[in-house]
Amino acid sequence: MAVAASRKQTICAANAACYTFLASMNWREHIVSDPKILRGKPCIKGTRIPAALVLGYLASGRDAAAIVREFPDLTTGDVEACLDYARDLADFEALAA
């Protein structure tokens, strides 16, 4: 029981730090949409790497370091911006007609 409580505190502390970081990040500095690049899909600025591709890697369990190793043009900030971008999309509210 003590181990589970300790692990929960560690996870909560890590999530709080992550949330604080993401709340201060502006994903718009890393992700752009240009109709001339990949038909306007949101991509990492200066690359042709779609944000959705990075999010797919994260969803499959890869960490930021592994993604950066696979795509040397990316930074960990780019990967974190993709998470912040996804958070904004998930927070979208449609207006009732």
Side-chain angles (χ1 to χ4, degrees):
M1 187 79 166
V3 173
S6 172
R7 185 169 188 270
K8 183 177 179 181
Q9 289 172 340
T10 302
I11 291 170
C12 290
N15 287 342
C18 181
Y19 178 77
T20 301
F21 174 78
L22 288 176
S24 66
M25 170 176 277
N26 184 0
W27 61 262
R28 291 166 184 85
E29 295 173 5
H30 297 265
I31 300 174
V32 295
S33 181
D34 182 340
K36 297 176 185 173
I37 300 173
L38 296 177
R39 296 179 308 207
K41 283 186 177 184
C43 295
I44 305 301
K45 192 176 198 174
T47 74
R48 297 177 69 83
I49 302 170
L53 178 69
V54 175
L55 290 168
Y57 275 80
L58 290 168
S60 71
R62 298 241 180 121
D63 62 11
I67 295 169
V68 170
R69 279 193 303 276
E70 186 148 344
F71 298 96
D73 291 337
L74 297 182
T75 66
T76 54
D78 293 330
V79 175
E80 291 160 352
C82 288
L83 285 173
D84 194 39
Y85 170 72
R87 183 193 52 79
D88 267 4
L89 288 178
D91 199 31
F92 175 78
E93 292 183 29
L95 298 176

